[in-house]
């Protein structure tokens, strides 16, 4: 680990101003250079998307090694830019080699063995006709992966286990993993880093232990936490973030976090403020992967409508006219359990407690037989109560492999990243399809545009609440609404704290006018779907 | 159903996909994997985790440093040891229910000394095998009727080909299947049930809780008597029919229509509910297949059931398949819904029994025991009768022969010079390179430059020999030399997931093995939009 240079958190950026500051004249002409590259005289790769974003994209990863130097260097200026840092590393490597260290052609890590990175190096040390236009072969890219690049994996479940393995075997070492879950028996059919003896232990910790013991020099750092427990400075330290989550709310939250890092100067996005997000998801034999470059490509909120709405049975069906076994199970879960409190007062239904499921199952059977409904089984009961999504090792393997490949592409500039959404299905043959999800012009998370609410002053606050929760591009869960008035903040409605909810509930039936809100008023809205408070401007209609 | 045991808990998430019977099939299968490469062990990982019965790795190689670099199931300490044994050790610990075995021998040696060795497996997976060995193996397996899955990771290109004489699928789990409601051809029990309803004389509550299927059936009768003898077919007629239904919505004292959700559902479903009940073309084809027409003692229960189905259609079915027996959920009170559901269920039972008695006669005439088709099999077969599926593919020898290499199809695909077929042609060229030079192109950096020319002449030779007058861009030749036969882990992991899924499909007899239709001619897995988009400049 002779020349490992620790990366200072939040410092892989500053470009091209940094470049100019370091006396690289080419920094100024970047805009032109970019276009020349993309129009590709002799380069057979087309530029994907407007604004040649991939050129800029590739710079993101290029920046990292340079940043890693910490000390400004005026090393050799390469033909395409300043790679003094890499050059310096290379020279140090030559020195090490000269010292007779047992290293394998270009990799200076003492823990490595002959041939360890051969499969990876062919893609990084050789030029090729289909590489990213900005790619330059050499040893620097692998060095960057091995010693500098810091990746966060969110979720250590089905996708997470695969992601950790794929990244570690692709040359990534500084991998952090965060997961709030503990291991359940039903995870063992696909989450291959866990064994029966690990059931009940935190997923992130077991996964990190396993990986670090199996793969020499791999340094996985686990966090047994919710993503919401970590603050901005935590997320800022990573070069790339990759998600294997099963929750849309969590995706929206991390998306919101990364969007909040974006920095604009005179309306121009500072590329140094971007942290790319790769997001994978699976359900049974289907899955998808998306590459989100904050501020450049569609973000989670831009495409919120792509997620299917959660299906809930109408209450009247559940309560008075069940037709399906699921209706009976929902009746017991929603109505009978709170009424009977079978395991003691205040004991909430735990989908992982077999006694609880058994009780629901028995009661559902009883209800079903009253209505001559067939088909209530223990498995179905558990599926409905826990809203289980079927899962199998093979789909996770495919989706995580695609995600890891995208991380690799972005980190090394070896190939053009996926632009930007891939759908996979292998029920019906094996099907992959990719398309460019489009940015939403007034996206509440990534657009920079103020969010407006057009509403009549005689509308009630309830209508604003309904708008925030029902609007397809907002889909908030339990928004808290605050207004700045009379020089202070006034909570108009907040439902997550019972006492405040009770106190503010009467506001819902008041009109905006009665509440003292005026045209142009800004409302601050907080919700679990975003780490940031969102501002909405009221536009009164007449 | 009682509370699940430890096994059911462990496999819960996949049992919801392929059921207990799919799991049973998986647990009684023995799969052989040739070569514990990254691709090989990733496939195995995805079979061991869901609980395949047993596996055997065949590999005569010693573990190299390069192997440990891209393979999660090999460790540094294994370097120099046998690769089959080392990988088995680490794969076995994934799942105690699985029996892991290894043979420290090269497939070539086994083919020389004991080709019958392979007969014990339900399926053989060959990874990263040279073409000559592959063709020998494929021939042995083809003659013994054992499915072969060829899987290869070559740089950023994945290749997969299933070689199977015949594969029959009952449960294909189609994604968007239309309901089988028979509204165009109502069976007597349904007609009778609908007649029990009198929408004119119902109280408001019953009226708004009548299932939409009954409403559509009722108004169809009205349509036939008032408007036309034909089902509403085109847009205009369907709109008129919807309007007819809309007229039936109850009105309140002021004459404004009530809010009747069931009528809204009826109107919404007009477009799909009036589909004509017919035999899908694929099923017609099965009826005319030789395997169906000429049953023998060797006929599988699948084909006996296809024949029984055919006879049902010609007789009791009056031209239709057995009723599936399921209806979607809809606005209705419990009693009305369950009664209607039972009408369909009972009819399905009756039809299934009729197919069963045809099957029994056929079994008897073939001298087979009546139990050789189980109740469960019969029931599954009948409820999936519209989705039966048969896959047949060509042998590898046929695909590789210059006389039967799908020349025209390849040439027409190559109209697009960046078609995935170019990857197939390149892999064939790489194989030829290996045959001529005893190594793959561009393994070491210093070879790349020289090998581009050599690979190009291999490609030209291959194309000429097979009469393929197509132009392959030089870029592809360069790219394949650049790969230097590398097997990057993430690509191997992708192939591991995709190939394991195909193995599960073959073993459980569920789901479509659809890209065989593509592979039938070529055998290239199109990784469109993914690794190919990298490779194919489109």
């Amino acid at each position: 680990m002779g020349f490992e240079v620790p990366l200072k958190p939040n410092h892989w950026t500053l470009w091209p101003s940094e470049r100019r500051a370091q006396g690289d004249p080419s920094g100024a002409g970047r805009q032109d250079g970019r276009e020349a590259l993309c129009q590709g005289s002799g380069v057979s790769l087309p530029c994907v998307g407007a604004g040649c974003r991939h050129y800029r994209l590739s710079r993101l990863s290029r920046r990292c090694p340079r940043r890693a130097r910490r000390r400004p260097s005026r090393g050799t200026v390469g033909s395409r830019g300043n790679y003094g840092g890499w050059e310096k590393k290379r020279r140090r490597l030559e020195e090490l080699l000269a010292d007779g260290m047992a290293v394998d052609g270009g990799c200076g890590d003492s823990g490595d063995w002959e041939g360890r990175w051969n499969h990876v190096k062919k893609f990084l040390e050789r030029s090729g006709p289909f590489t990213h236009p900005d790619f330059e072969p050499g040893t620097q890219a692998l060095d960057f992966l091995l010693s500098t690049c810091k990746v966060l994996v969110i979720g250590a479940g089905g996708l997470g286990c695969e992601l950790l393995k794929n990244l570690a075997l692709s040359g990534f070492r500084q991998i952090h993993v965060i997961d709030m879950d503990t291991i359940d028996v039903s995870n063992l059919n696909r989450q291959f880093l866990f064994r029966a003896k690990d059931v009940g232990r935190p997923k992130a910790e077991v996964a990190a232990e396993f990986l670090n013991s199996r793969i020499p020099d791999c340094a996985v750092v686990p966090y047994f936490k919710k993503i919401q427990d970590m603050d901005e400075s935590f997320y800022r330290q990573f070069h790339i973030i990759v998600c294997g989550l099963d929750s849309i709310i969590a995706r929206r939250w991390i998306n919101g976090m990364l969007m909040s890092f974006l920095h604009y100067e005179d309306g121009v996005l500072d590329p140094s403020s971007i942290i790319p997000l790769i997001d994978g998801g699976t359900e049974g034999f289907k899955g998808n992967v998306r590459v989100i470059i904050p501020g450049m490509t569609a973000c989670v909120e831009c495409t919120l409508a792509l997620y299917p709405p959660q299906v809930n049975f109408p209450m009247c069906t559940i309560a008075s006219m069940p037709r399906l076994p699921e209706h009976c199970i929902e009746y017991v879960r929603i109505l009978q359990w709170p009424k009977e409190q079978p395991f003691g007062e205040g004991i909430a239904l735990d989908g992982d407690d077999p006694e609880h499921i058994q009780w629901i199952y028995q009661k559902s059977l009883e209800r079903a037989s009253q209505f001559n409904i067939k088909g209530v089984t223990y498995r179905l009961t558990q599926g409905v109560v826990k809203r289980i999504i079927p899962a199998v090792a093979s789909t996770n393997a495919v989706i995580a492999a695609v995600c890891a490949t995208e991380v690799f592409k972005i980190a090394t500039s070896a190939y053009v990243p996926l632009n930007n959404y891939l759908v996979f299905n292998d029920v019906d043959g094996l099907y992959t399809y990719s398309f460019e999800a489009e940015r939403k012009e007034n996206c509440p998370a990534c657009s920079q545009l103020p969010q407006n609410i057009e509403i009549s002053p005689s509308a009630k606050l309830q209508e604003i609440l309904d708008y925030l929760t029902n609007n397809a591009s907002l889909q908030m869960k339990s928004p808290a609404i605050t207004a700045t008035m009379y020089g202070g903040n006034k909570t108009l409605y907040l439902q997550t704290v019972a006492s405040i909810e009770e106190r503010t509930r009467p506001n819902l039936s008041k009109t905006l006018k009665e509440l003292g809100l005026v045209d142009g008023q800004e409302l601050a809205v907080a919700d679990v779907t975003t780490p940031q408070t969102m501002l909405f401007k009221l536009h009164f209609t007449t | 159903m009682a509370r699940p045991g430890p096994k059911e808990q462990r496999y819960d998430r996949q049992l919801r996909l392929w059921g207990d019977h799919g799991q049973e099939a998986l647990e009684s299968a023995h799969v052989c994997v040739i070569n514990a490469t990254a691709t090989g062990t990733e496939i195995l990982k995805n079979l061991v985790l869901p609980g395949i019965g047993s596996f055997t790795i065949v590999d005569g190689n010693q573990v190299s440093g390069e192997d440990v670099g891209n393979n999660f199931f090999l460790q540094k300490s294994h370097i120099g040891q046998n690769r089959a044994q080392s990988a088995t050790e680490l794969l076995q610990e994934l799942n105690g229910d699985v029996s892991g075995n290894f043979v420290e021998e090269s497939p070539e040696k086994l083919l020389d000394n004991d080709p019958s060795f392979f007969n014990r497996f339900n399926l053989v997976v060959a990874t990263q095998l040279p073409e000559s060995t592959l063709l020998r193996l494929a021939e042995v397996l083809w003659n013994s009727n054992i499915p072969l899955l060829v899987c290869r990771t070559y740089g950023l290109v994945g290749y997969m080909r299933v070689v199977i004489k015949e594969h029959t699928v009952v449960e294909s789990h189609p994604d968007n299947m239309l309901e089988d409601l028979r509204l165009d051809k109502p069976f007597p029990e349904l007609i009778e049930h609908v007649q029990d309803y009198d929408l004119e004389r119902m109280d408001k509550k019953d009226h708004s809780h009548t299932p939409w299927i009954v409403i559509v059936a009722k108004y169809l009768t009205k349509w036939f008597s008032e408007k036309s003898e034909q089902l509403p077919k085109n847009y205009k007629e369907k709109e008129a029919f919807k309007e007819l239904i809309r007229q039936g919505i109850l009105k309140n004292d002021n004459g404004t229509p009530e809010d009747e959700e069931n009528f809204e559902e009826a109107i919404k479903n007009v477009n799909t509910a009036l589909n004509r009940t017919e035999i899908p073309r694929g099923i017609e084809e099965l009826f005319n297949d030789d395997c169906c027409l000429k049953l023998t003692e060797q006929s599988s229960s699948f084909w006996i059931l296809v024949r029984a189905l055919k006879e049902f259609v010609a007789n009791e079915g009056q031209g239709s398949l057995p009723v599936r027996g399921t209806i979607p959920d809809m606005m209705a009170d419990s009693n009305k819904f369950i009664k209607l559901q039972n009408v369909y269920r009972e009819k399905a039972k009756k039809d299934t029994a009729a197919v069963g008695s045809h099957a029994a006669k056929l079994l008897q005439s073939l001298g087979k025991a009546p139990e050789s088709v189980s109740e469960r099999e019969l029931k599954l077969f009948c409820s999936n009768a519209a989705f039966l599926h048969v896959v047949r593919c060509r042998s590898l020898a046929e695909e590789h022969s210059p006389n039967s290499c799908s020349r025209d199809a390849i040439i027409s695909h190559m109209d697009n010079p960046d078609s995935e077929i170019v990857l197939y042609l390149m892999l064939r060229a790489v194989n030829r390179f290996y045959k001529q030079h005893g190594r793959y192109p561009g393994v070491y950096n210093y070879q790349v430059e020289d090998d581009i020319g050599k690979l190009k002449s291999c490609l030209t030779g291959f194309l000429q020999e097979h009469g393929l007058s197509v132009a392959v861009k030089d870029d592809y030749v360069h790219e394949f030399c650049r790969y230097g036969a590398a097997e990057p882990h993430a690509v191997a992991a992708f192939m591991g997931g995709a190939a394991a899924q195909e193995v599960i499909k073959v073993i459980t007899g569920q789901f479509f093995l659809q890209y065989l239709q593509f592979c039938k001619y070529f055998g290239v897995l199109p990784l469109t939009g993914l690794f190919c988009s990298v490779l194919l400049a489109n």
Side-chain angles (χ1 to χ4, degrees):
Chain A
M1 311 286 275
F3 48 81
E4 166 146 359
V5 185
L7 179 76
K8 201 167 151 195
N10 190 15
H11 259 241
W12 69 294
T13 51
L14 294 178
W15 200 90
S17 49
E18 173 209 39
R19 196 162 155 145
R20 274 196 293 270
Q22 288 171 7
D24 174 9
S26 68
R30 194 171 68 98
Q31 191 71 35
D32 304 326
R34 179 193 309 162
E35 262 144 37
L37 267 173
C38 286
Q39 281 156 13
S41 43
V43 180
S44 57
L45 252 190
C47 179
V48 193
C52 309
R53 69 176 69 104
H54 290 109
Y55 180 68
R56 276 176 282 166
L57 241 184
S58 75
R59 309 309 304 191
L60 296 178
S61 53
R62 280 295 172 78
R63 222 172 300 123
C64 325
R66 255 203 331 277
R67 292 297 316 157
R69 271 179 282 127
R70 306 189 83 178
R71 286 168 290 131
S73 157
R74 295 186 190 267
T76 317
V77 176
S79 58
R80 280 210 199 154
N82 177 359
Y83 296 107
W86 285 341
E87 183 59 26
K88 194 164 185 178
K89 275 189 188 174
R90 196 183 61 74
R91 268 188 271 121
R92 291 183 65 172
L93 174 68
E94 280 168 2
E95 286 163 23
L96 284 168
L97 280 168
D99 288 346
M101 259 184 74
V103 291
D104 164 52
C107 176
D109 264 326
S110 55
D112 283 345
W113 55 87
E114 173 97 31
R116 179 171 187 182
W117 300 111
N118 281 3
H119 293 281
V120 177
K121 281 156 69 179
K122 286 177 183 145
F123 295 91
L124 302 180
E125 295 180 1
R126 298 173 174 190
S127 63
F130 297 117
T131 56
H132 192 290
D134 202 32
F135 174 69
E136 255 181 85
T139 54
Q140 67 280 14
L142 182 60
D143 284 346
F144 170 60
L145 295 188
L146 293 176
S147 54
T148 309
C149 190
K150 211 170 186 181
V151 180
L152 174 66
V153 174
I154 301 182
L159 284 170
C161 286
E162 287 279 344
L163 282 167
L164 291 169
K165 163 186 69 83
N166 294 346
L167 292 172
L169 290 175
S170 303
F172 294 87
R173 283 182 169 166
Q174 298 186 52
I175 309 170
H176 293 230
V177 59
I178 179 166
D179 197 309
M180 59 183 271
D181 255 352
T182 54
I183 297 161
D184 181 74
V185 190
S186 63
N187 300 146
L188 303 180
N189 80 325
R190 60 197 187 283
Q191 300 175 16
F192 63 94
L193 300 175
F194 312 142
R195 304 288 172 262
K197 65 173 169 46
D198 302 320
V199 167
R201 291 190 57 205
K203 286 185 178 180
E205 288 174 12
V206 177
E209 273 170 30
F210 194 105
L211 220 69
N212 292 340
S213 72
R214 173 68 58 92
I215 301 180
D217 306 319
C218 188
V220 179
V221 182
Y223 303 87
F224 175 37
K225 289 214 185 302
K226 289 184 184 166
I227 54 169
Q228 291 85 352
D229 293 340
M230 310 306 274
D231 64 8
E232 197 191 306
S233 66
F234 173 78
Y235 292 106
R236 272 193 200 273
Q237 69 181 308
F238 299 103
H239 294 115
I240 303 171
I241 294 181
V242 50
C243 287
L245 285 164
D246 57 4
S247 146
I248 295 171
I249 293 183
R251 278 193 180 88
R252 295 178 66 182
W253 192 91
I254 188 67
N255 180 73
M257 176 61 81
L258 299 188
M259 297 308 145
S260 75
F261 294 165
L262 294 180
H263 176 67
Y264 291 82
E265 246 170 275
D266 302 328
V268 177
L269 175 61
D270 173 3
S272 70
S273 63
I274 297 170
I275 298 178
L277 176 69
I278 318 292
D279 178 47
T282 68
E283 181 177 341
F285 294 128
K286 299 170 190 169
N288 66 74
V289 176
R290 55 190 304 183
V291 174
I292 296 171
I293 310 300
M296 291 188 175
T297 68
C299 80
V300 172
E301 300 290 329
C302 290
T303 56
L304 206 52
L306 288 180
Y307 297 112
Q310 190 173 357
V311 185
N312 288 314
F313 302 117
M315 213 39 170
C316 59
T317 294
I318 294 172
S320 59
M321 42 183 155
R323 298 173 296 271
L324 305 180
E326 289 87 344
H327 298 155
C328 303
I329 298 164
E330 284 291 70
Y331 173 83
V332 179
R333 181 180 76 88
I334 298 169
L335 299 169
Q336 220 169 333
W337 178 281
K339 210 167 93 191
E340 299 193 17
Q341 308 234 3
F343 290 81
E345 208 169 310
I347 301 220
L349 172 56
D350 176 1
D352 291 318
D353 186 330
E355 299 294 332
H356 289 193
I357 297 292
Q358 182 70 22
W359 188 86
I360 303 264
Y361 165 53
Q362 284 301 340
K363 295 290 171 186
S364 306
L365 269 181
E366 284 168 25
R367 182 161 174 86
S369 77
Q370 280 170 32
F371 291 92
N372 290 315
I373 295 170
K374 293 185 185 102
V376 173
T377 62
Y378 186 96
R379 188 178 292 161
L380 182 72
T381 307
Q382 199 182 22
V384 172
V385 171
K386 291 184 70 181
R387 292 187 183 270
I388 289 176
I389 298 167
V392 60
S394 50
T395 314
N396 282 315
V398 168
I399 295 301
V402 179
C403 289
T405 308
E406 292 307 318
V407 175
F408 182 81
K409 287 187 204 168
I410 292 177
T412 62
S413 305
Y415 285 92
V416 179
L418 168 74
N419 183 38
N420 50 38
Y421 204 115
L422 175 125
V423 184
F424 171 83
N425 181 349
D426 68 359
V427 183
D428 190 358
L430 190 150
Y431 169 86
T432 59
Y433 168 72
S434 65
F435 65 97
E436 181 177 352
E438 284 181 23
R439 289 189 73 186
K440 196 164 170 253
E441 215 171 287
N442 61 342
C443 170
C446 74
S447 75
Q448 298 303 106
L449 286 178
Q451 300 295 306
N452 294 326
I453 300 182
E454 308 263 337
I455 197 158
S456 154
S458 59
K460 302 202 164 89
L461 184 64
Q462 179 72 48
E463 288 176 49
I464 293 204
L465 188 73
D466 291 345
Y467 173 78
L468 295 172
T469 50
N470 297 339
N471 184 289
S473 55
L474 294 173
Q475 296 183 39
M476 294 191 170
K477 300 298 162 188
S478 51
I481 309 172
T482 315
T484 308
M485 49 202 337
Y486 317 121
N489 286 331
K490 185 184 172 191
T491 302
L492 298 176
Y493 185 65
L494 188 150
Q495 49 189 315
T496 45
V497 182
S499 60
I500 305 181
E501 198 279 334
E502 208 173 310
R503 183 164 55 76
T504 55
R505 198 185 308 150
N507 287 344
L508 291 177
S509 45
K510 288 183 189 161
T511 67
L512 304 182
K513 213 170 157 188
E514 283 166 353
L515 288 166
L517 299 173
V518 295
D519 193 27
Q521 177 100 39
E522 276 196 344
L523 296 181
V525 179
D527 189 54
V528 289
T529 54
T530 165
Q532 250 62 40
T533 301
M534 279 180 64
L535 292 179
F536 290 88
K537 204 168 195 177
L538 289 183
H539 281 256
F540 282 166
T541 53
T542 43
Chain B
M1 198 168 107
R3 222 191 279 186
K7 221 168 178 176
E8 271 178 279
Q9 285 180 43
R10 182 184 181 111
Y11 299 131
D12 179 84
R13 298 303 184 268
Q14 70 203 41
L15 292 174
R16 292 168 195 274
L17 292 168
W18 53 66
D20 297 301
H21 55 295
Q23 185 66 24
E24 231 169 78
L26 195 63
E27 287 178 19
S28 43
H30 188 178
V31 168
C32 171
V33 171
I34 296 173
N35 284 337
T37 55
T39 309
T41 57
E42 288 299 308
I43 296 172
L44 272 170
K45 175 189 94 236
N46 298 326
L47 293 174
V48 170
L49 287 167
I52 191 133
S54 37
F55 70 85
T56 297
I57 300 180
V58 171
D59 194 338
N61 292 293
Q62 285 187 346
V63 176
S64 69
E66 206 168 296
D67 289 337
V68 183
N70 74 344
N71 197 324
F72 192 71
F73 298 94
L74 295 173
Q75 284 182 293
K76 198 176 168 185
S77 58
H78 290 135
I79 293 175
Q81 294 177 19
N82 175 265
R83 201 163 64 173
Q85 180 178 9
S86 307
T88 303
E89 211 175 278
L90 294 187
L91 281 161
Q92 176 72 73
E93 67 175 47
L94 291 174
N95 190 345
D97 297 341
V98 175
S99 144
N101 312 278
F102 60 91
V103 175
E104 301 173 65
E105 191 116 52
S106 72
E108 289 85 358
K109 265 216 179 108
L110 280 172
L111 287 167
D112 286 341
N113 303 330
D114 181 19
S116 67
F117 166 83
F118 294 101
N119 288 346
R120 70 196 70 183
F121 303 110
N122 298 83
L123 183 142
V124 176
V125 180
T127 74
Q128 314 294 79
L129 222 49
E131 193 172 72
S132 56
T133 314
L134 184 61
L135 285 169
R136 283 181 67 198
L137 175 73
E139 194 188 347
V140 166
L141 295 175
W142 185 260
N143 294 334
S144 318
N145 210 3
I146 293 169
L148 165 69
L149 188 132
V150 186
C151 191
R152 188 165 185 191
T153 302
Y154 199 93
L156 292 187
V157 174
Y159 166 94
M160 180 155 68
R161 157 82 141 99
V162 184
V163 191
I164 193 168
K165 270 187 185 157
E166 180 184 281
H167 175 63
T168 57
V169 184
V170 174
E171 294 167 88
S172 51
H173 301 272
D175 238 357
N176 301 308
M177 56 177 176
L178 285 172
E179 300 289 345
D180 179 24
L181 301 176
R182 308 291 165 111
L183 287 168
D184 61 328
K185 283 186 190 172
F187 45 93
E189 295 88 339
L190 180 60
I191 296 175
E192 205 177 302
H193 180 78
V194 171
Q195 275 166 357
D196 287 348
Y197 280 84
D198 186 349
L199 292 173
E200 318 282 314
R201 269 167 236 204
M202 272 178 162
D203 66 24
K204 202 175 127 188
K205 196 176 162 209
D206 277 332
H207 195 268
S208 61
H209 287 95
T210 299
W212 71 256
I213 292 179
V214 173
I215 296 173
V216 171
K218 277 278 178 205
Y219 282 90
L220 265 181
T221 331
K222 199 171 160 131
W223 172 270
F224 290 137
S225 67
E226 292 176 11
K227 307 268 181 179
S228 154
E229 283 172 18
Q230 302 278 316
L231 279 176
K233 275 196 291 282
N234 53 34
Y235 176 77
K236 209 176 138 195
E237 285 171 359
K238 281 184 177 169
E239 286 305 302
F241 182 59
K242 286 180 189 173
E243 191 48 41
L244 194 66
I245 297 176
R246 205 169 279 126
Q247 297 300 324
I249 298 178
L250 285 186
K251 297 189 174 59
N252 66 14
D253 297 341
N254 305 327
T256 45
E258 298 273 1
D259 207 6
E260 292 197 296
E261 212 182 315
N262 54 338
F263 272 74
E264 295 304 326
E265 282 184 356
I267 292 165
K268 208 176 74 196
N269 280 290
V270 161
N271 288 332
T272 51
L274 299 185
N275 271 343
R276 284 183 47 204
T277 305
E278 27 187 42
I279 313 263
R281 203 191 312 157
I283 306 298
E284 284 286 5
E285 280 169 19
L286 297 189
F287 287 166
N288 297 322
D289 196 290
D290 268 358
C291 291
C292 168
L293 298 173
K294 297 173 193 157
L295 292 182
T296 66
E297 277 168 58
Q298 276 73 48
S299 293
S300 65
S301 51
F302 178 87
W303 285 112
I304 295 171
L305 284 171
V306 170
R307 177 66 172 273
L309 190 67
K310 181 179 176 152
E311 288 178 13
F312 169 87
V313 170
N315 297 287
E316 300 90 337
Q318 297 174 29
S320 301
L321 294 173
V323 168
R324 201 181 304 153
T326 54
I327 57 172
D329 187 28
M330 62 193 77
M331 178 63 197
D333 61 48
S334 307
N335 192 30
K336 292 191 184 66
F337 179 84
I338 300 294
K339 272 190 180 154
L340 178 66
Q341 193 180 43
N342 282 336
V343 168
Y344 282 95
R345 279 192 181 171
E346 289 305 317
K347 174 64 175 159
K349 260 192 200 162
K350 206 171 137 189
D351 288 355
T352 304
V355 175
S357 72
H358 286 293
K361 275 181 221 149
L362 291 166
L363 287 170
Q364 199 183 14
S365 70
L366 295 168
K368 290 193 168 203
E371 313 83 72
S372 49
V373 174
S374 71
E375 268 308 300
R376 192 182 73 182
E377 210 179 341
L378 175 70
K379 222 178 132 191
L380 265 180
F381 188 89
C382 289
S383 57
N384 284 287
F387 314 112
L388 304 172
H389 191 60
V390 174
V391 176
R392 292 191 178 112
C393 50
R394 305 196 311 164
S395 69
L396 221 50
E398 216 176 323
E399 180 194 316
H400 279 242
S401 153
N403 300 321
S404 53
C405 68
S406 317
R407 186 175 304 123
D408 297 342
I410 292 176
I411 291 172
S412 88
H413 269 89
M414 284 299 290
D415 282 349
N416 168 11
D418 295 317
S419 152
E420 285 92 354
I421 292 307
V422 77
L423 306 178
Y424 174 73
L425 301 177
M426 284 311 307
L427 283 172
R428 295 291 300 274
V430 161
N431 287 340
R432 203 178 166 95
F433 187 107
Y434 185 86
K435 205 170 165 188
Q436 283 181 11
H437 303 277
R439 62 174 177 86
Y440 287 109
V443 172
Y444 296 101
N445 287 355
Y446 70 86
Q447 296 169 329
V448 177
E449 204 84 352
D450 281 352
D451 284 353
I452 291 177
K454 289 182 190 156
L455 181 58
K456 192 169 177 185
S457 74
C458 288
L459 175 69
T460 313
F462 165 77
L463 294 176
Q464 271 171 6
E465 199 175 289
H466 290 75
L468 291 163
S469 50
V470 296
V472 173
K473 288 182 185 167
D474 283 350
D475 282 350
Y476 289 108
V477 178
H478 183 175
E479 181 73 3
F480 272 73
C481 279
R482 175 172 183 263
Y483 291 160
E487 191 183 356
H489 181 80
V491 183
F494 182 100
M495 295 310 293
Q501 176 62 8
E502 294 314 299
V503 172
I504 290 168
K505 287 178 186 175
V506 172
I507 288 171
T508 60
Q510 297 185 37
F511 315 103
F512 277 116
L513 269 169
Q514 199 192 331
Y515 57 76
L516 269 185
Q517 292 179 346
F518 188 60
C519 297
K520 198 157 59 176
Y521 309 113
F522 317 108
V524 177
L525 168 69
L527 296 176
T528 11
L530 177 59
F531 303 109
C532 280
S533 74
V534 164
L535 191 67
L536 306 169
N538 57 0

